[in-house]
């Protein structure tokens, strides 16, 4: 890299750190994009003069609010709510809501920033946002979750709308929570609109939205493998997490002929050397989505499997890894273990699951490696399809949605190839996704003037 570009990167990061102290995840996400798009910005100096990336890294609006609620014992609880509306150059703000004890401003800003580039890659008209709360739904009754969601929405509702900002699910927010949030939004606004996605199928939801992130991840991975003359057939696959994304990634990989041997949660992971099958998958769906149990129960039910408390799955030998739990779940030592265990492909279902050190190792060792903003975009893309169906007041069939999801994942793959080719035939999907996602947002911002 030439000195001018390096100086631009160094100056940008110094300014970002000064303006946003104590936000390590946000710094990490911006830095990853910056190093890839800086050469492009240097090549097209009007983007530097117009401070396009500086503007993208300053969210258009950040809302932080008190969320008071009462637990089942009558005790008053206080949580903090967030909505970070990062960028609206391409369409209404769009992005999930996360309920997890770890939620803070840094995590919300990193996710909203990532979402802006991801949504650009989907080819659909959506800006980028993220929201959430440090509320921990684990162990809470349905009534407590409902009261929390109602209180959260009582403030959020004034900041969102079908043409303004359309939230959806993320960690800790699934069908149940979207139902409670939608009910309260409808009550306060006195309108039945498509202002949230991931809705129930009977009241405006899209077929395949629950499956879309995991299925889309596998469609993208198929494209990567296909280009290298390979497929899922007969491959050993590690999946982390056991929530929405992990469940459907595991199910699709299995149906495409892979042997999926791990699942996890924040307490540990299970290793099933025989691999998942339809019966085991049905158990996992019931365990996690109906009983809201822990993944350790899998090993009690299926004695061929072993539960490893307090550990992550990355040391299990494999061909393909699909991290689907949370940010920074693959560190340097985990990446080394994956490579040592024979892993040739890492496709991210979670947002930013690999640390910068892990990403560097994947790229140095020329793995097929795709960042979340490319390979997990199928979820938000199908949210975009849900918005279209709501606006048109129609309901597409599963096959119609699936065909569009496959087309979108294939288009994202093509965009990565276009901007990620390294000359020797190796595709740097990180660079491809960052540059392709950036160009569309940047061009729209140039067209729309200084706002
Ligand atoms: P869920 O809440 O359904 O599942 C999350 C899973 O990850 C659970 O198994 C959870 O275990 C585990 N997990 C969460 N936090 C941690 C942690 N700190 N350490 C270890 N494990 C953890 O969420 P999703 O499946 O929806 O989301 C998973 C990832 O995918 C996130 O990064 C999310 O941002 C991303 N994503 C989600 C999309 C969607 O459509 N839902 C779309 C695109 C990306 P436990 O039960 O122990 O907390
Ligand atoms: O990270 C993500 O892309 C999501 N959680 C899905 C967002 C959405 O609006 O469907």
């Amino acid at each position: 890299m030439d000195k001018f570009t390096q100086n631009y990167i160094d100056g940008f990061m110094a300014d970002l750190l000064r303006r946003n102290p104590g936000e390590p995840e946000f710094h990490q996400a911006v830095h990853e994009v910056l190093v890839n798009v800086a050469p492009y910005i240097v090549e097209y100096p009007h983007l530097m003069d117009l401070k396009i990336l500086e503007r993208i890294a300053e969210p258009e609006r950040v809302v932080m609010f008190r969320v008071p609620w009462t637990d089942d014992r009558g005790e008053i609880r206080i949580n903090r709510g967030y909505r970070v509306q990062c960028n609206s150059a391409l369409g209404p703000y769009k992005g999930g809501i996360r309920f997890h004890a770890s939620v803070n401003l840094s995590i919300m800003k990193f996710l909203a920033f990532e979402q802006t580039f991801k949504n650009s890659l989907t080819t659909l008209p959506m800006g980028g946002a993220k929201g959430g709360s440090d509320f921990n739904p684990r162990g809470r009754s349905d009534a407590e979750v409902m009261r929390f969601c109602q209180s959260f929405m009582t403030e959020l509702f004034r900041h969102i709308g079908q043409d303004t900002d359309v939230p959806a699910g993320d960690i800790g927010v699934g069908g149940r929570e979207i139902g409670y949030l939608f009910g309260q939004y409808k009550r306060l606004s006195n309108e039945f609109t498509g202002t949230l996605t991931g809705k129930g199928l009977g009241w405006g939801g899209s077929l395949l939205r629950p499956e879309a992130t995991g299925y889309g991840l596998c469609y993208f991975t198929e494209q990567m493998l296909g280009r290298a003359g390979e497929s899922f057939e007969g491959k050993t696959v590690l999946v982390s997490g056991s929530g929405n994304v992990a469940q459907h990634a595991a199910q699709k990989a299995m149906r495409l002929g892979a042997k999926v041997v791990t699942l996890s949660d924040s307490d540990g992971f299970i290793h099933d050397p025989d691999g998942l099958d339809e019966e085991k998958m049905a158990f996992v769906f019931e365990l996690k989505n109906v009983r809201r149990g822990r993944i350790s129960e899998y090993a009690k039910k299926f004695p061929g499997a072993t539960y490893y408390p307090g550990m992550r799955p990355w040391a299990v030998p494999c061909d393909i890894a699909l991290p689907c739990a949370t940010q920074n779940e693959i560190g340097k030592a985990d990446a080394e273990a994956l490579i040592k265990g024979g892993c040739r492909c890492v496709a991210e279902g979670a947002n930013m699951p690999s640390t910068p050190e892990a990403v560097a190792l994947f790229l140095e060792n020329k793995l097929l490696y795709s960042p979340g903003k490319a390979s997990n975009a199928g979820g938000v893309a199908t949210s975009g399809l849900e918005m279209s169906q709501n606006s048109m007041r129609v309901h597409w069939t599963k096959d119609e949605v699936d065909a569009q999801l496959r087309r979108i994942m294939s288009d994202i793959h093509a965009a990565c190839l276009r901007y990620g080719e390294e000359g020797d035939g190796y595709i740097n999907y990180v660079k491809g996704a960052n540059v392709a996602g950036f160009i569309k947002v940047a061009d729209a911002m140039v067209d729309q003037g200084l706002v």
Side-chain angles (χ1 to χ4, degrees):
M1 188 174 293
D2 64 79
K3 201 147 190 283
F4 184 79
T5 310
Q6 191 59 56
N7 282 344
Y8 172 67
I9 291 173
D10 293 345
F12 191 110
M13 281 312 293
D15 208 37
L16 188 90
L17 265 69
R18 185 183 55 74
R19 288 168 59 81
N20 305 276
E23 297 179 1
E25 293 86 1
F26 181 56
H27 303 158
Q28 183 183 338
V30 175
H31 186 258
E32 187 212 90
V33 170
L34 174 65
V35 293
N36 286 153
V37 303
Y40 185 85
I41 291 172
V42 169
E43 199 179 328
Y44 296 94
H46 69 292
L47 298 176
M48 191 181 290
D49 296 342
L50 291 172
K51 300 218 164 125
I52 295 293
L53 191 59
E54 289 82 346
R55 280 151 65 186
I56 299 175
E58 183 68 31
E60 290 177 11
R61 186 178 295 110
V62 177
V63 188
M64 284 173 63
F65 49 97
R66 178 170 68 207
V67 189
W69 57 285
T70 311
D71 71 17
D72 285 346
R73 291 175 19 241
E75 190 179 326
I76 287 175
R77 304 264 176 175
I78 313 290
N79 285 98
R80 188 172 297 163
Y82 301 85
R83 188 70 178 167
V84 176
Q85 298 175 331
C86 185
N87 195 285
S88 62
L90 297 181
Y93 304 110
K94 180 84 194 88
I97 292 179
R98 176 176 293 191
F99 291 165
H100 193 270
S102 64
V103 163
N104 59 31
L105 187 58
S106 172
I107 290 176
M108 293 288 100
K109 282 170 70 178
F110 118 65
L111 288 163
F113 182 82
E114 287 282 288
Q115 198 80 42
T116 299
F117 297 91
K118 183 196 304 192
N119 293 3
S120 165
L121 286 168
T122 65
T123 70
L124 303 177
M126 300 182 290
K130 202 81 186 192
S133 174
D134 57 359
F135 172 71
N136 178 6
R138 208 201 291 182
R140 291 283 164 210
S141 69
D142 285 352
E144 288 177 316
V145 171
M146 183 177 77
R147 286 197 296 276
F148 177 80
C149 287
Q150 290 178 340
S151 182
F152 182 85
M153 185 53 84
T154 299
E155 172 59 32
L156 185 68
F157 100 99
R158 71 191 82 248
H159 307 288
I160 63 175
Q162 62 174 346
D163 299 318
T164 308
D165 184 353
V166 181
D170 192 79
I171 291 176
V173 177
R176 174 182 63 170
E177 291 75 17
I178 293 293
Y180 295 149
L181 291 165
F182 183 82
Q184 184 73 350
Y185 179 78
K186 178 166 63 69
R187 186 181 191 190
L188 291 167
S189 64
N190 196 30
E191 281 178 354
F192 195 115
T193 63
T195 298
L196 288 132
T197 60
K199 298 185 290 299
L201 287 180
W203 42 276
S206 174
L207 283 162
L208 232 55
R209 175 63 189 88
E211 294 88 346
T213 310
Y215 282 19
L217 170 65
C218 290
Y219 297 156
F220 190 93
T221 309
E222 266 191 311
Q223 297 267 333
M224 295 169 83
L225 293 167
R227 201 179 160 276
E230 302 205 40
S231 74
F232 269 112
E233 187 67 48
K235 299 289 193 305
T236 299
V237 175
L238 308 184
V239 174
S240 66
S242 50
N244 171 274
V245 181
Q247 290 166 18
H248 294 102
Q251 182 185 54
K252 183 56 88 177
M254 175 192 86
R255 289 184 179 169
L256 290 169
K259 193 201 252 194
V260 178
V261 295
T262 64
L263 288 170
S264 73
D265 58 28
S266 52
D267 296 329
F269 80 94
I270 57 105
H271 179 210
D272 184 348
D274 298 331
L276 290 169
D277 57 25
E278 294 289 350
E279 184 208 339
K280 293 170 181 172
M281 248 353 284
F283 172 80
V284 172
F285 278 110
E286 201 266 337
L287 169 70
K288 298 304 295 186
N289 306 344
V290 181
R291 287 196 282 130
R292 299 182 190 276
R294 309 302 297 160
I295 202 64
S296 57
E297 290 183 44
Y298 182 103
K300 291 187 192 132
K301 170 84 179 170
F302 302 108
T306 308
Y307 176 61
Y308 295 90
M311 287 172 70
R312 297 170 179 168
W314 312 124
V316 175
C318 71
D319 302 301
I320 299 167
L322 304 176
C324 296
T326 193
Q327 65 274 358
N328 292 329
E329 56 169 314
I330 301 182
K332 183 163 181 269
D334 301 313
E336 283 164 353
L338 278 168
I339 293 165
K340 190 160 161 247
C343 181
R344 294 298 310 145
C345 173
V346 178
E348 296 182 345
N351 285 307
M352 207 169 76
S354 310
T355 64
E357 296 76 20
V359 174
L361 277 173
F362 296 150
L363 297 178
E364 266 164 42
N365 286 276
K366 308 247 178 231
L367 264 67
L368 292 173
Y369 165 66
S370 74
K373 64 170 76 70
S375 43
N376 75 29
V380 73
T382 306
S383 279
L385 302 177
E386 182 171 327
M387 289 166 71
S388 299
Q389 293 170 75
N390 293 162
S391 296
M392 291 192 279
R393 302 194 193 285
V394 297
H395 202 61
W396 292 333
T397 64
K398 206 169 200 162
D399 286 349
E400 281 175 292
V401 179
D402 195 46
Q404 295 221 47
L405 174 61
R406 283 176 190 270
R407 196 240 333 131
I408 288 167
M409 297 318 291
S410 162
D411 286 352
I412 297 173
H413 186 260
C416 291
L417 296 193
R418 181 154 173 221
Y419 294 103
E421 179 96 53
E422 294 272 77
D424 59 356
Y426 178 67
I427 303 298
N428 182 336
Y429 285 88
V430 184
K431 185 170 98 188
N434 285 335
V435 175
F438 172 73
I439 288 175
K440 209 174 148 197
V441 178
D443 288 350
M445 289 175 72
V446 171
D447 291 347
Q448 292 171 23
L450 184 57
V451 291

